[in-house]
Amino acid sequence: EDMLHCGKFTKTILDHTYAQNVLLTGIKIVDKDCKRANVLISPYSQLHSNRLPTFKKQLASLPKEVYVSIDLDVLQADVMRTGWTGGRLKMKHLQRVLDAILGTKKLIGADILGWSLGTDEDGMGELDLINSRATKNSLEVYRQLIDTFRQAS
């Protein structure tokens, strides 16, 4: 019950910060905490190029200044290792979302969360994970996201 899942995190942000609106994108399941008037939901299916206009329409309804929070568990497990079940987004989908946001909005801050480094089900230790292909891919995702944010600021 104390677990901070996506919906609970969104509710906490809206209840305890100056944020007035939230756009959740790339999620698979919408829980009750997300069903609020000021929470726009853009599921994974809207992030394909032929459905991107729907996402952009939602984006247009948000204020000019935005804070972007990326929870990496929306990415496929082969793209990003997290402590949660892998999402369905590929990096190109996440980059499309960021390009749309940063092309029309002013970025005032950002965070990236959701990567878990520890032992996995095969019993690899942290040093093995650091050298693993999945971890190298994960670090590359971080580098790409940080570069995207730097270019926007």
Side-chain angles (χ1 to χ4, degrees):
E1 192 61 36
D2 289 339
M3 186 181 297
L4 193 61
H5 55 80
C6 180
K8 198 170 189 181
F9 179 73
T10 300
K11 181 180 183 322
T12 300
I13 293 296
L14 288 169
D15 290 348
H16 301 287
T17 70
Y18 291 107
Q20 296 174 356
N21 299 283
V22 171
L23 172 60
L24 292 174
T25 190
I27 61 175
K28 294 187 279 189
I29 300 170
V30 179
D31 59 46
K32 63 180 174 35
D33 291 324
C34 293
K35 295 180 180 176
R36 298 168 65 149
N38 53 346
V39 176
L40 302 171
I41 297 170
S42 177
Y44 162 79
S45 61
Q46 288 182 356
L47 304 179
H48 293 282
S49 52
N50 61 336
R51 305 267 328 267
L52 209 52
T54 305
F55 171 74
K56 289 181 178 180
K57 201 179 292 185
Q58 286 182 305
L59 186 59
S61 70
L62 295 177
K64 181 68 177 160
E65 294 182 331
V66 296
Y67 181 96
V68 175
S69 179
I70 299 174
D71 189 339
L72 296 172
D73 66 7
V74 300
L75 293 169
Q76 292 177 340
D78 64 332
V79 175
M80 174 56 72
R81 177 184 297 270
T82 71
W84 299 94
T85 304
R88 295 172 59 188
L89 292 182
K90 294 180 180 184
M91 189 60 198
K92 70 180 182 181
H93 297 130
L94 180 55
Q95 193 63 53
R96 259 188 221 141
V97 168
L98 292 174
D99 290 346
I101 293 168
L102 301 175
T104 59
K105 303 295 180 183
K106 179 182 178 192
L107 182 69
I108 59 171
D111 67 70
I112 305 168
L113 58 122
W115 186 34
S116 175
L117 178 63
T119 57
D120 71 356
E121 60 277 356
D122 296 326
M124 290 190 339
E126 285 190 24
L127 289 176
D128 294 324
L129 282 174
I130 289 170
N131 293 317
S132 75
R133 183 177 62 84
T135 300
K136 287 178 182 177
N137 289 346
S138 298
L139 293 172
E140 177 60 20
V141 168
Y142 266 89
R143 187 195 62 72
Q144 288 176 23
L145 293 173
I146 290 168
D147 286 349
T148 298
F149 291 142
R150 277 193 189 131
Q151 292 171 11
S153 56

